[in-house]
Amino acid sequence: MFYLFSINIYAWFALANLLFSIFFGILVLLHNPRKRLYQTFFFLNIAIAIWSAGYFFWQVSDNASDALFWTRILSIGSTLIPPFFLHWALALLNLNNKFKKIIVIEYLFSITFVLFSFHPLFISTVEPALFFNFWPKAGPLYTIYLFFNYIPLVIVGTYLICKKYKDSQGLERSRLKWVTVGTVLSFAGGSTNFPLWYGIPLPPIGSFLVALYPIFFSYSMTRYRFMDIRTVVTRSISFAIIVSLIAGVYSTLSVILSRSFSVLVGTRSNVIAGIIVAILVVVGYQPLRKVIAKATDKFLYKKAYDPEAVLSQIKEAAGSILDLEQLLGQICGILTDAFHCEK
């Protein structure tokens, strides 16, 4: 069904984007499933995940029939991205109530295009283009979708976020900075796919940028507590590292036992490896968790400070310096070092 896709970097980036989208979408939703901001972010990520899944399987398809099917699956995700993105942007900026009717209209408009995803009027066929074996060709309805749905909604949503960033100050500006950068780069990169749909010989080199959006978003969420899931993200990263280490140790032990002792080939080696790993987990889980948590915190919270240490330094300065000006200067220096003040 598939050709060797290990050399197809477009497929690998699509797969990475798929995994990132699902991970962060579920992570955010579980943190606060009742809040509109978190709901819209989840559905936006699901739409991107559908687009990424279709993109991946399309790129690794070895025949036109499969490639056409997956490009139509891809189109379902790409059609749903603009309304979910606009809705999320409005929720982010607390403008949901003001544009409630427009949101409903845009969802209905987008769903109409989704119903035509498998119709030749939307995607007519796939054929060789540049270095791709199969590339989709846009039908008349696809052009209408692109210019009357995708482009307007993306422009409006991006404009509102950029405007809010320009008008904001302090922590809010810092939070929106990376959201703005991620939004602009991801949509700018994704848009490089469109020229080839119309026979314009420009490769989709910006597709790589789409995978950057969860990186910028996650940085904003952890560094500036954007969407208030900083702790959840760090705990998830720590847990994922521990699970990966356990799986790696288990697999390595299974291979070593089966190769070293012929009587332990197969199920026996897996059972013994499982017992050894279970013992290691019981004995070493807590120390390992503390080490990984400390390393993760150091990486993500490298500008964080220990309140007790700061208070201890101030107390020591207050108890040893009698001159008021010198004391205030010392305290100012301690607070500046702790808070990493820029102004």
Side-chain angles (χ1 to χ4, degrees):
M1 180 179 178
F2 306 120
Y3 65 84
L4 291 176
F5 55 86
S6 58
I7 60 173
N8 192 332
I9 194 169
Y10 289 94
W12 282 113
F13 270 93
L15 181 60
N17 197 42
L18 168 64
L19 298 176
F20 274 123
S21 301
I22 294 175
F23 175 76
F24 283 105
I26 295 176
L27 190 68
V28 168
L29 183 68
L30 291 178
H31 181 67
N32 195 339
R34 295 184 178 181
K35 195 171 182 179
R36 185 70 65 192
L37 177 63
Y38 296 79
Q39 294 171 352
T40 52
F41 186 78
F42 169 75
F43 287 115
L44 171 61
N45 276 266
I46 292 302
I48 295 173
I50 294 172
W51 178 82
S52 302
Y55 206 110
F56 172 78
F57 287 111
W58 156 41
Q59 288 299 307
V60 301
S61 297
D62 61 356
N63 61 79
S65 177
D66 288 343
L68 181 60
F69 172 80
W70 288 112
T71 55
R72 287 171 170 169
I73 293 294
L74 171 153
S75 69
I76 295 175
S78 65
T79 304
L80 293 174
I81 288 174
F84 284 133
F85 167 68
L86 180 61
H87 198 175
W88 174 74
L90 293 174
L92 177 68
L93 305 176
N94 296 315
L95 296 174
N96 265 337
N97 294 331
K98 187 177 181 180
F99 295 95
K100 188 176 294 185
K101 291 183 179 179
I102 293 178
I103 292 173
V104 173
I105 293 172
E106 290 302 335
Y107 275 126
L108 293 175
F109 198 44
S110 299
I111 291 173
T112 302
F113 285 115
V114 169
L115 296 176
F116 285 94
S117 296
F118 281 77
H119 198 282
L121 289 175
F122 200 73
I123 300 177
S124 57
T125 186
V126 291
E127 57 187 46
L130 293 181
F131 44 82
F132 295 96
N133 292 331
F134 311 104
W135 193 269
K137 295 300 175 183
L141 279 179
Y142 192 89
T143 303
I144 296 174
Y145 144 75
L146 183 61
F147 288 98
F148 291 95
N149 189 63
Y150 184 93
I151 294 177
L153 296 189
V154 169
I155 289 177
V156 170
T158 305
Y159 168 77
L160 291 174
I161 293 176
C162 291
K163 185 176 184 300
K164 182 66 174 180
Y165 166 72
K166 183 179 178 181
D167 297 338
S168 61
Q169 296 179 347
L171 182 59
E172 184 180 24
R173 184 179 178 87
S174 298
R175 287 172 173 173
L176 288 173
K177 175 182 177 181
W178 295 106
V179 175
T180 304
V181 172
T183 298
V184 172
L185 286 180
S186 60
F187 280 112
S191 65
T192 60
N193 284 274
F194 295 129
L196 205 54
W197 283 63
Y198 294 91
I200 302 173
L202 294 176
I205 54 176
S207 296
F208 310 134
L209 296 176
V210 179
L212 294 178
Y213 101 91
I215 298 175
F216 286 111
F217 278 32
S218 60
Y219 178 80
S220 182
M221 287 186 288
T222 53
R223 175 66 178 83
Y224 299 107
R225 296 186 182 179
F226 173 65
M227 297 180 75
D228 194 29
I229 62 167
R230 181 173 177 172
T231 304
V232 179
V233 171
T234 53
R235 288 179 179 175
S236 299
I237 292 174
S238 299
F239 182 74
I241 293 173
I242 292 173
V243 171
S244 299
L245 287 174
I246 292 173
V249 171
Y250 175 78
S251 301
T252 303
L253 284 174
S254 296
V255 172
I256 292 175
L257 290 172
S258 61
R259 290 184 177 180
S260 301
F261 305 97
S262 58
V263 294
L264 298 179
V265 175
T267 305
R268 292 181 180 179
S269 65
N270 293 336
V271 171
I272 294 176
I275 294 173
I276 296 174
V277 169
I279 295 173
L280 292 175
V281 169
V282 171
V283 175
Y285 174 77
Q286 284 299 333
L288 180 63
R289 185 187 65 82
K290 291 179 180 179
V291 171
I292 293 175
K294 186 176 181 180
T296 305
D297 289 346
K298 186 176 181 181
F299 173 71
L300 292 176
Y301 305 150
K302 60 183 178 181
K303 290 189 176 182
Y305 66 94
D306 183 353
E308 293 183 3
V310 174
L311 290 174
S312 177
Q313 293 178 41
I314 293 176
K315 182 179 178 180
E316 183 180 348
S320 59
I321 301 174
L322 298 178
D323 183 75
L324 180 60
E325 293 297 327
Q326 185 181 355
L327 175 60
L328 292 176
Q330 182 71 12
I331 293 175
C332 183
I334 294 172
L335 295 179
T336 300
D337 291 340
F339 299 152
H340 298 273
C341 303
E342 297 177 358
K343 297 182 182 178

